[in-house]
């Protein structure tokens, strides 16, 4: 399966840097040898239409970082999945640990967001992962199993899962290949469809991407910090 490499800009990036970033991604994708992976770029919501325009004609897909459970209505500040699709998004990240923490998002809410995304024609990237304290207490599999069973709608097959241990996000710490493999293996058993792609996320860099993407059970990576420089993001994609 072609690996899926997702850039999560989080709340970073400005208008001024967007054309150069997009041009570099586009040039790499359209070059004769191309990029041996499927790319998704998830900038902050205000940049989505600009990114859609800048990436036109490029196989890299556009994604959002969150969406609401309803398509329209009185929900100040929220993002309609239907509108995200309309401005060119094909993916949306839901249940990222930063949203679970900063906005108290529950598994039930993440589940509803994933279902709404699917209904709008978007492919949800549903994030799960244990905290440092849960890991230290030996509860990794128990926590991730609960998140997968409750956050992934049972009738959904067109979804992507991202295993992102919270303690590995932005810290430089990465689980061992054995740990990634055993959690990914277990996740597959809890999914409504074991064929759903399972990505790894947390401190993925050009230096460790080859080893992580080389693992049989890793269908791609979700990249935060290292995606902000286009050449680093492309180096990760080329490691696929
Ligand atoms: P990181 O973030 O690559 O900066 O660790 C990954 C993520 O949160 O998706």
């Amino acid at each position: 399966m072609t690996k899926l490499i997702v850039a999560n800009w989080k709340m970073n990036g400005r208008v001024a840097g967007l054309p150069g970033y997009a041009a570099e991604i586009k040039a790499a994708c359209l070059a004769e040898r191309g990029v041996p992976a499927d790319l998704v770029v998830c900038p902050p919501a205000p940049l989505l239409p600009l990114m859609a325009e800048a990436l036109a004609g490029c196989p890299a897909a556009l994604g959002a970082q969150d969406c609401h459970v309803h398509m329209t209505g009185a929900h100040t500040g929220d993002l309609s999945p239907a509108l995200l699709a309309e401005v060119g998004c094909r993916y949306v990240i839901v249940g990222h640990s930063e949203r679970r923490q900063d906005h108290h998002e529950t598994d039930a809410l993440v589940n509803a967001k994933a279902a709404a995304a699917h209904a709008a024609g978007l492919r949800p990237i549903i994030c799960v992962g244990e905290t440092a304290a849960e890991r230290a207490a030996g509860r990794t599999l128990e926590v991730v199993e609960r998140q997968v069973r409750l956050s992934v709608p049972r009738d959904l097959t067109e979804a992507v899962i991202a295993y992102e241990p919270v303690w590995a996000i932005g810290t430089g710490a990465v689980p061992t290949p054995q740990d990634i493999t055993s959690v990914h293996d277990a996740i597959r058993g809890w999914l409504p469809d074991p064929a759903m792609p399972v990505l790894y996320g947390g401190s993925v860099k050009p230096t460790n991407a080859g080893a992580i993407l080389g693992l049989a059970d890793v269908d791609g990576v979700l990249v935060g910090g290292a995606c902000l420089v286009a050449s680093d993001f492309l180096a990760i994609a080329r490691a696929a």
Side-chain angles (χ1 to χ4, degrees), residues 10 14 18 27 38 45 54 59 77 102 111 114 116 121 139 151 166 191 218 237:
K10 307 190 178 183
R14 304 295 290 259
L18 188 147
D38 291 330
D102 298 354
N111 185 305
R139 295 182 51 222
S151 305
V166 179
L191 289 173
V218 173

Side-chain angles (χ1 to χ4, degrees), residues 152-179:
V152 182
R154 300 317 288 171
D155 56 351
L156 201 62
T157 50
E158 262 305 294
V160 176
I161 308 303
Y163 169 55
E164 298 207 300
V166 179
W167 53 270
I169 294 177
T171 60
V174 176
T176 63
Q178 292 79 357
D179 284 347

Side-chain angles (χ1 to χ4, degrees), residues 131-148:
T131 63
E134 289 162 344
R135 176 174 186 252
R139 295 182 51 222
T140 297
L141 290 180
E142 171 204 326
V143 167
V144 175
E145 177 173 8
R146 190 206 67 228
Q147 291 177 333
V148 169

Side-chain angles (χ1 to χ4, degrees), residues 47-71:
L47 297 182
L48 287 168
L50 287 175
M51 187 63 89
E53 204 181 316
L55 288 179
C58 171
L62 188 66
Q65 298 175 13
D66 181 46
C67 70
H68 196 263
V69 303
H70 293 304
M71 301 299 164

Side-chain angles (χ1 to χ4, degrees), residues 8 10 96 98 164 168-171 201-205 222-226:
N8 176 11
K10 307 190 178 183
H96 190 281
E98 286 149 18
E164 298 207 300
I169 294 177
T171 60
S203 295
V204 177
K205 312 272 180 239
L222 179 49
V223 187

Side-chain angles (χ1 to χ4, degrees), residues 10 40-41 45 55 73 78 106 109 116 162 194:
K10 307 190 178 183
V40 183
V41 181
L55 288 179
D78 281 314
T106 61
L109 180 66

Side-chain angles (χ1 to χ4, degrees), residues 168 174 200-206 208-209 212-213 221-227 236:
V174 176
Y200 168 78
S203 295
V204 177
K205 312 272 180 239
N208 62 19
I212 294 170
L213 287 163
V221 287
L222 179 49
V223 187
C227 82
I236 291 168

